[in-house]
Amino acid sequence: VLVPLSAARAKAWKITGAGAFVAKPKFLGVKVLKPYPLEELVPYIDWTPFFHTWELQGQYPRIFDDPKKGTEARKLFADAQKHLADLLKGGKLSAEAVFGIFPANRVEDDIEVYADESQTKTIAVVHSLRQQAKKENVTDPYLALADFLAPKESGTDYVGAFTVTSGSGLDAIAKEFEKNLDDYGSIMAKALADRLAEALAERLHQRVRKEFWGYAPDEKLPNEELIREKYRGVRPAPGYPACPDHTEKATLFRLLDAEKNVSIKLTESFAMWPAAAVSGWYFAHPESRYFGVGKIGKDQVEDYARRKGWTLAAAEKWLGPNLGY
């Protein structure tokens, strides 16, 4: 059951104590970090999804003690360490990152991004979608990502954006394996590059929190806690549950001039190439959190199409999996 968009908006999550939560960044603008030292990323690797790539389901490191999968998991992990060492010392694979922190505010369900803190020149609009699936608990809010920013009238807030890759040079590495009929080596290189890209997203977000934005300078979390997202703030990615519209990557890439600054291209279907890449937004509010938009009604799809300057058909195409009608 979906509630009307007007009812969902009436129960939006509201920031309280306007102004008190705003973390003024130490840095505004866009910064490029390339090449990013791969060695620095190894401690940030989340190995659990690596095993899933090989269809070994289980949590790292507990999977090593699994009576059925443990032996195979240990062998695979030992192999991965050898391949990883080769990738690190070979110099053929490189990692790159670009991120930005910008003055921004919530305007209804959208986020206006400004050239500076005067809020006079809007350089981008980030469109967010709101939950409409009826909540069992009447006090639960209907969330949209825009809710985590201060409304324009209560003073400037900020939003961040990032794009990272560890796939620079990966094509040549994979082709070399394939030329030698080593499919295993090719799959291993791609799986490790994926893990390094996610590790770079994790490490960069940590540096943004502690150093560049600086709203959590004293954070001291071990990698297990980072993987479990125990830090303040979130980094939702366009195309994922909180912001399911892949086309919003175009806005993110434009803000960061990403295709010029790092070795990543957006395809016509808004996939990132190389595939070992991660992009997303940074929200710093202490109560910002991950959520799924879920199914939405035609009233919201029509409203979203209007805000994006789309036809209804275009909105329905890009929001297909979320259509609740």
Side-chain angles (χ1 to χ4, degrees):
V1 181
L2 302 180
V3 303
L5 180 60
S6 55
R9 281 183 174 155
K11 296 195 71 180
W13 185 80
K14 299 271 195 308
I15 277 175
T16 50
F21 55 84
V22 175
K24 191 171 167 59
K26 294 182 176 174
F27 159 85
L28 284 176
V30 174
K31 194 181 275 293
V32 181
L33 302 170
K34 71 175 186 187
Y36 203 96
L38 289 169
E39 296 78 9
E40 190 182 306
L41 306 179
V42 176
Y44 294 86
I45 291 177
D46 176 6
W47 285 102
T48 296
F50 169 80
F51 291 105
H52 296 175
T53 304
W54 302 90
E55 296 184 352
L56 284 173
Q57 301 300 318
Q59 291 287 114
Y60 168 85
R62 289 201 303 271
I63 192 168
F64 295 146
D65 301 320
D66 187 291
K68 291 192 180 128
K69 307 169 195 159
T71 306
E72 194 183 344
R74 284 173 191 277
K75 180 178 174 300
L76 186 65
F77 189 67
D79 264 3
Q81 300 311 304
K82 285 197 208 95
H83 277 264
L84 185 57
D86 288 344
L87 286 175
L88 294 185
K89 71 168 189 277
K92 291 177 187 166
L93 188 72
S94 70
E96 303 174 8
V98 58
F99 74 94
I101 305 169
F102 310 94
N105 282 109
R106 171 189 171 186
V107 178
E108 293 183 342
D109 289 356
D110 291 335
I111 295 163
E112 286 187 357
V113 184
Y114 308 115
D116 56 47
E117 288 162 306
S118 70
Q119 303 171 307
T120 48
K121 187 184 174 198
T122 301
I123 55 171
V125 178
V126 181
H127 303 88
S128 74
L129 289 157
R130 185 168 298 286
Q131 294 173 325
Q132 279 185 273
K134 192 171 172 61
K135 307 266 182 173
E136 284 184 20
N137 186 337
V138 294
T139 60
D140 284 352
Y142 290 77
L143 297 171
L145 281 173
D147 295 351
F148 301 136
L149 287 191
K152 195 168 183 174
E153 58 277 10
S154 67
T156 308
D157 204 341
Y158 305 89
V159 75
F162 74 94
T163 302
V164 302
T165 181
S166 61
S168 195
L170 179 62
D171 248 12
I173 294 165
K175 283 196 175 92
E176 186 67 26
F177 279 119
E178 285 154 19
K179 196 173 82 185
N180 297 322
L181 305 178
D182 183 357
D183 285 347
Y184 175 78
S186 172
I187 295 166
M188 179 65 85
K190 289 172 185 170
L192 289 171
D194 277 348
R195 290 299 89 217
L196 287 165
E198 294 285 355
L200 178 49
E202 192 72 85
R203 172 61 177 140
L204 181 62
H205 193 191
Q206 182 188 54
R207 288 188 66 188
V208 165
R209 295 190 301 272
K210 295 180 71 164
E211 181 185 337
F212 299 119
W213 196 325
Y215 61 80
D218 304 321
E219 177 189 291
K220 290 182 179 65
L221 294 173
N223 197 38
E224 307 78 65
E225 299 283 281
L226 294 178
I227 289 165
R228 289 166 59 202
E229 297 154 0
K230 294 295 184 188
Y231 44 76
R232 172 179 158 179
V234 290
R235 55 167 191 274
Y240 282 79
C243 39
D245 176 9
H246 281 277
T247 72
E248 288 290 299
K249 281 188 210 130
T251 304
L252 189 150
F253 268 58
R254 198 179 74 250
L255 271 172
L256 298 174
D257 206 355
E259 294 198 355
K260 184 173 132 267
N261 283 325
V262 289
S263 310
I264 310 178
K265 296 276 179 278
L266 272 185
T267 69
E268 279 181 10
S269 60
F270 297 95
M272 290 179 288
W273 185 259
V278 185
S279 63
W281 305 107
Y282 291 136
F283 292 86
H285 192 283
E287 290 185 64
S288 59
R289 56 196 183 271
Y290 293 106
F291 62 91
V293 167
K295 296 294 183 191
I296 57 176
K298 192 168 186 179
D299 55 352
Q300 180 162 199
V301 179
E302 287 171 342
D303 183 82
Y304 193 74
R306 178 187 56 75
R307 283 150 49 205
K308 296 256 305 188
W310 279 353
T311 62
L312 178 62
E316 288 176 334
K317 173 193 162 190
W318 287 108
L319 301 175
N322 293 83
L323 300 182
Y325 58 94

